[in-house]
PDB file of all heavy atoms in Angstrom:
ATOM      1  N   GLN A 910     -19.275 -26.803 -40.453  1.00 97.00           N
ATOM      2  CA  GLN A 910     -18.493 -25.639 -40.923  1.00 97.00           C
ATOM      3  C   GLN A 910     -17.437 -26.064 -41.944  1.00 97.00           C
ATOM      4  O   GLN A 910     -17.229 -25.382 -42.942  1.00 97.00           O
ATOM      5  CB  GLN A 910     -17.808 -24.951 -39.741  1.00 97.00           C
ATOM      6  CG  GLN A 910     -18.776 -24.178 -38.854  1.00 97.00           C
ATOM      7  CD  GLN A 910     -18.175 -23.845 -37.493  1.00 97.00           C
ATOM      8  OE1 GLN A 910     -16.971 -23.976 -37.286  1.00 97.00           O
ATOM      9  NE2 GLN A 910     -19.018 -23.419 -36.567  1.00 97.00           N
ATOM     10  N   HIS A 911     -16.774 -27.206 -41.691  1.00 97.00           N
ATOM     11  CA  HIS A 911     -15.783 -27.677 -42.666  1.00 97.00           C
ATOM     12  C   HIS A 911     -16.470 -27.964 -44.012  1.00 97.00           C
ATOM     13  O   HIS A 911     -15.945 -27.652 -45.073  1.00 97.00           O
ATOM     14  CB  HIS A 911     -15.085 -28.948 -42.168  1.00 97.00           C
ATOM     15  CG  HIS A 911     -14.247 -28.735 -40.929  1.00 97.00           C
ATOM     16  ND1 HIS A 911     -13.421 -27.656 -40.772  1.00 97.00           N
ATOM     17  CD2 HIS A 911     -14.112 -29.484 -39.808  1.00 97.00           C
ATOM     18  CE1 HIS A 911     -12.808 -27.729 -39.586  1.00 97.00           C
ATOM     19  NE2 HIS A 911     -13.217 -28.828 -38.989  1.00 97.00           N
ATOM     20  N   ARG A 912     -17.654 -28.588 -43.937  1.00 96.00           N
ATOM     21  CA  ARG A 912     -18.347 -28.902 -45.184  1.00 96.00           C
ATOM     22  C   ARG A 912     -18.753 -27.619 -45.913  1.00 96.00           C
ATOM     23  O   ARG A 912     -18.599 -27.506 -47.130  1.00 96.00           O
ATOM     24  CB  ARG A 912     -19.576 -29.776 -44.923  1.00 96.00           C
ATOM     25  CG  ARG A 912     -20.255 -30.166 -46.229  1.00 96.00           C
ATOM     26  CD  ARG A 912     -21.291 -31.220 -46.061  1.00 96.00           C
ATOM     27  NE  ARG A 912     -22.422 -30.719 -45.284  1.00 96.00           N
ATOM     28  CZ  ARG A 912     -23.496 -31.448 -45.016  1.00 96.00           C
ATOM     29  NH1 ARG A 912     -23.574 -32.674 -45.462  1.00 96.00           N
ATOM     30  NH2 ARG A 912     -24.472 -30.950 -44.300  1.00 96.00           N
ATOM     31  N   GLU A 913     -19.251 -26.647 -45.154  1.00 96.00           N
ATOM     32  CA  GLU A 913     -19.639 -25.372 -45.777  1.00 96.00           C
ATOM     33  C   GLU A 913     -18.439 -24.681 -46.415  1.00 96.00           C
ATOM     34  O   GLU A 913     -18.579 -23.979 -47.419  1.00 96.00           O
ATOM     35  CB  GLU A 913     -20.284 -24.445 -44.744  1.00 96.00           C
ATOM     36  CG  GLU A 913     -21.788 -24.635 -44.644  1.00 96.00           C
ATOM     37  CD  GLU A 913     -22.351 -24.024 -43.369  1.00 96.00           C
ATOM     38  OE1 GLU A 913     -21.884 -22.935 -42.990  1.00 96.00           O
ATOM     39  OE2 GLU A 913     -23.228 -24.658 -42.753  1.00 96.00           O
ATOM     40  N   ALA A 914     -17.251 -24.870 -45.828  1.00 95.00           N
ATOM     41  CA  ALA A 914     -16.033 -24.267 -46.387  1.00 95.00           C
ATOM     42  C   ALA A 914     -15.557 -25.025 -47.629  1.00 95.00           C
ATOM     43  O   ALA A 914     -14.577 -24.617 -48.260  1.00 95.00           O
ATOM     44  CB  ALA A 914     -14.936 -24.234 -45.336  1.00 95.00           C
ATOM     45  N   GLY A 915     -16.202 -26.138 -47.962  1.00 95.00           N
ATOM     46  CA  GLY A 915     -15.874 -26.850 -49.200  1.00 95.00           C
ATOM     47  C   GLY A 915     -15.107 -28.146 -49.014  1.00 95.00           C
ATOM     48  O   GLY A 915     -14.735 -28.789 -50.001  1.00 95.00           O
ATOM     49  N   PHE A 916     -14.850 -28.529 -47.775  1.00 96.00           N
ATOM     50  CA  PHE A 916     -14.106 -29.774 -47.542  1.00 96.00           C
ATOM     51  C   PHE A 916     -15.020 -30.985 -47.724  1.00 96.00           C
ATOM     52  O   PHE A 916     -16.136 -31.014 -47.210  1.00 96.00           O
ATOM     53  CB  PHE A 916     -13.507 -29.792 -46.127  1.00 96.00           C
ATOM     54  CG  PHE A 916     -12.348 -28.852 -45.968  1.00 96.00           C
ATOM     55  CD1 PHE A 916     -12.548 -27.543 -45.539  1.00 96.00           C
ATOM     56  CD2 PHE A 916     -11.060 -29.264 -46.273  1.00 96.00           C
ATOM     57  CE1 PHE A 916     -11.473 -26.663 -45.406  1.00 96.00           C
ATOM     58  CE2 PHE A 916      -9.979 -28.396 -46.143  1.00 96.00           C
ATOM     59  CZ  PHE A 916     -10.191 -27.093 -45.705  1.00 96.00           C
ATOM     60  N   THR A 917     -14.499 -31.980 -48.447  1.00 96.00           N
ATOM     61  CA  THR A 917     -15.262 -33.214 -48.647  1.00 96.00           C
ATOM     62  C   THR A 917     -14.602 -34.386 -47.935  1.00 96.00           C
ATOM     63  O   THR A 917     -14.978 -35.538 -48.131  1.00 96.00           O
ATOM     64  CB  THR A 917     -15.390 -33.537 -50.149  1.00 96.00           C
ATOM     65  OG1 THR A 917     -14.081 -33.544 -50.718  1.00 96.00           O
ATOM     66  CG2 THR A 917     -16.253 -32.511 -50.845  1.00 96.00           C
ATOM     67  N   ALA A 918     -13.577 -34.075 -47.127  1.00 97.00           N
ATOM     68  CA  ALA A 918     -12.939 -35.089 -46.288  1.00 97.00           C
ATOM     69  C   ALA A 918     -12.516 -34.408 -44.998  1.00 97.00           C
ATOM     70  O   ALA A 918     -12.099 -33.241 -45.010  1.00 97.00           O
ATOM     71  CB  ALA A 918     -11.722 -35.690 -46.994  1.00 97.00           C
ATOM     72  N   MET A 919     -12.647 -35.100 -43.896  1.00 97.00           N
ATOM     73  CA  MET A 919     -12.256 -34.513 -42.606  1.00 97.00           C
ATOM     74  C   MET A 919     -11.820 -35.586 -41.627  1.00 97.00           C
ATOM     75  O   MET A 919     -12.280 -36.718 -41.688  1.00 97.00           O
ATOM     76  CB  MET A 919     -13.369 -33.631 -42.032  1.00 97.00           C
ATOM     77  CG  MET A 919     -14.762 -34.177 -42.102  1.00 97.00           C
ATOM     78  SD  MET A 919     -16.024 -32.905 -41.674  1.00 97.00           S
ATOM     79  CE  MET A 919     -16.425 -32.182 -43.267  1.00 97.00           C
ATOM     80  N   LYS A 920     -10.869 -35.185 -40.782  1.00 98.00           N
ATOM     81  CA  LYS A 920     -10.296 -36.124 -39.807  1.00 98.00           C
ATOM     82  C   LYS A 920     -10.634 -35.671 -38.398  1.00 98.00           C
ATOM     83  O   LYS A 920     -10.338 -34.529 -38.030  1.00 98.00           O
ATOM     84  CB  LYS A 920      -8.785 -36.202 -40.005  1.00 98.00           C
ATOM     85  CG  LYS A 920      -8.125 -37.289 -39.174  1.00 98.00           C
ATOM     86  CD  LYS A 920      -6.687 -37.518 -39.625  1.00 98.00           C
ATOM     87  CE  LYS A 920      -5.730 -36.509 -39.055  1.00 98.00           C
ATOM     88  NZ  LYS A 920      -4.376 -36.656 -39.597  1.00 98.00           N
ATOM     89  N   ILE A 921     -11.246 -36.578 -37.660  1.00 98.00           N
ATOM     90  CA  ILE A 921     -11.742 -36.249 -36.320  1.00 98.00           C
ATOM     91  C   ILE A 921     -10.743 -36.727 -35.270  1.00 98.00           C
ATOM     92  O   ILE A 921     -10.325 -37.893 -35.284  1.00 98.00           O
ATOM     93  CB  ILE A 921     -13.127 -36.876 -36.075  1.00 98.00           C
ATOM     94  CG1 ILE A 921     -14.151 -36.249 -37.034  1.00 98.00           C
ATOM     95  CG2 ILE A 921     -13.587 -36.659 -34.634  1.00 98.00           C
ATOM     96  CD1 ILE A 921     -14.529 -37.062 -38.196  1.00 98.00           C
ATOM     97  N   LYS A 922     -10.374 -35.813 -34.376  1.00 98.00           N
ATOM     98  CA  LYS A 922      -9.485 -36.160 -33.273  1.00 98.00           C
ATOM     99  C   LYS A 922     -10.277 -36.921 -32.218  1.00 98.00           C
ATOM    100  O   LYS A 922     -11.270 -36.412 -31.689  1.00 98.00           O
ATOM    101  CB  LYS A 922      -8.897 -34.882 -32.660  1.00 98.00           C
ATOM    102  CG  LYS A 922      -7.848 -34.234 -33.532  1.00 98.00           C
ATOM    103  CD  LYS A 922      -6.559 -35.023 -33.496  1.00 98.00           C
ATOM    104  CE  LYS A 922      -5.465 -34.337 -34.291  1.00 98.00           C
ATOM    105  NZ  LYS A 922      -4.249 -35.157 -34.396  1.00 98.00           N
ATOM    106  N   LEU A 923      -9.829 -38.121 -31.925  1.00 98.00           N
ATOM    107  CA  LEU A 923     -10.441 -38.921 -30.862  1.00 98.00           C
ATOM    108  C   LEU A 923      -9.359 -39.260 -29.842  1.00 98.00           C
ATOM    109  O   LEU A 923      -8.248 -38.759 -29.920  1.00 98.00           O
ATOM    110  CB  LEU A 923     -11.071 -40.194 -31.444  1.00 98.00           C
ATOM    111  CG  LEU A 923     -12.189 -39.996 -32.476  1.00 98.00           C
ATOM    112  CD1 LEU A 923     -12.682 -41.348 -32.988  1.00 98.00           C
ATOM    113  CD2 LEU A 923     -13.348 -39.190 -31.897  1.00 98.00           C
ATOM    114  N   GLY A 924      -9.725 -40.114 -28.870  1.00 98.00           N
ATOM    115  CA  GLY A 924      -8.750 -40.475 -27.851  1.00 98.00           C
ATOM    116  C   GLY A 924      -9.061 -39.826 -26.512  1.00 98.00           C
ATOM    117  O   GLY A 924      -8.176 -39.652 -25.678  1.00 98.00           O
TER     118      GLY A 924
END
Side-chain angles (χ1 to χ4, degrees):
Q910 287 163 13
H911 295 317
R912 183 169 67 178
E913 271 163 39
F916 288 91
T917 53
M919 44 191 91
K920 188 168 81 186
I921 295 103
K922 287 286 184 186
L923 299 178

